Amino acid sequence: MRHTRIAIALAATSLTLGGCAALGLGERTATTDGAARDGESWLLVQQGQATPSPSVTMGTPSPTPEVSLSVPTPDPRCTKLWPRTDPALIPVRVTPGAGSLRVDWPTQFNSNYRVAAVPQKLVKGPQPQPVWQEVAPGSGCAVSTTVTGLTPGAAYIIWLDAPNTGHRLDGTRNLYSGRSGVVYPK
């Protein structure tokens, strides 16, 4: 075992000090016929042209598009303006009532809807499941419903789900959900 360690150490030392030449493996080069010759480099270099240096190109100025104050409705005949929301959310307008919240949103691709008033009171342990209210597809520019049975003065967030809005040509989903900020029934 000791002789094996010494032999391995000597082989490693000779490779380190002499490289491949210590084992008789000299440099070789590939020839046009694919053979290699001793003492030549394996590097095959072909002449070519240098890549041109990069140059600075300036773009042409263009005006910045105007910022929209509202989200357009799917139907161009509709004139109601909706509050600006995250681009992926259906805009929702909530009007507090006595123990209720009236919820309005633009019609989305002839979809049915689900609406839930989610309480914002901190609850220890598992959170209660939201109670969803089913809403039929709208026929006009907007759809509305009223969520009742809410605690006056308590904080809620309205969630909106439009599960059947379909897909765009690129395969992404049309807008299918929305939410309000914190609202308080009267």
Side-chain angles (χ1 to χ4, degrees):
M1 185 73 172
R2 181 174 180 202
H3 296 293
T4 306
R5 288 185 199 157
I6 293 172
I8 291 173
L10 287 174
T13 304
S14 66
L15 284 175
T16 304
L17 296 176
C20 291
L23 294 177
L25 302 174
E27 293 182 0
R28 297 176 180 248
T29 185
T31 60
T32 55
D33 62 358
R37 296 194 180 117
D38 287 336
E40 297 179 4
S41 172
W42 275 96
L43 203 53
L44 179 62
V45 179
Q46 292 181 343
Q47 293 293 333
Q49 295 181 348
T51 305
S53 297
S55 60
V56 177
T57 56
M58 299 298 288
T60 58
S62 61
T64 303
E66 293 295 320
V67 175
S68 167
L69 295 178
S70 65
V71 175
T73 58
D75 186 348
R77 296 172 294 176
C78 297
T79 58
K80 188 171 187 174
L81 298 178
W82 293 95
R84 187 165 184 79
T85 62
D86 182 287
L89 295 175
I90 299 171
V92 175
R93 182 174 291 146
V94 180
T95 307
S100 66
L101 295 169
R102 178 184 164 95
V103 186
D104 299 294
W105 64 92
T107 302
Q108 295 292 316
F109 309 100
N110 202 25
S111 177
N112 59 314
Y113 304 94
R114 299 184 322 154
V115 177
V118 181
Q120 298 302 295
K121 181 180 177 184
L122 292 177
V123 177
K124 183 178 180 179
Q127 301 301 301
Q129 290 293 321
V131 177
W132 290 95
Q133 180 176 322
E134 298 290 329
V135 181
S139 59
C141 294
V143 182
S144 67
T145 191
T146 302
V147 180
T148 58
L150 305 177
T151 305
Y156 292 89
I157 290 180
I158 294 292
W159 287 355
L160 171 67
D161 181 33
N164 300 314
T165 59
H167 295 80
R168 297 181 179 139
L169 292 176
D170 65 358
T172 58
R173 294 260 331 250
N174 287 317
L175 298 179
Y176 60 92
S177 64
R179 70 173 188 275
S180 71
V182 177
V183 290
Y184 302 89
K186 296 180 183 178

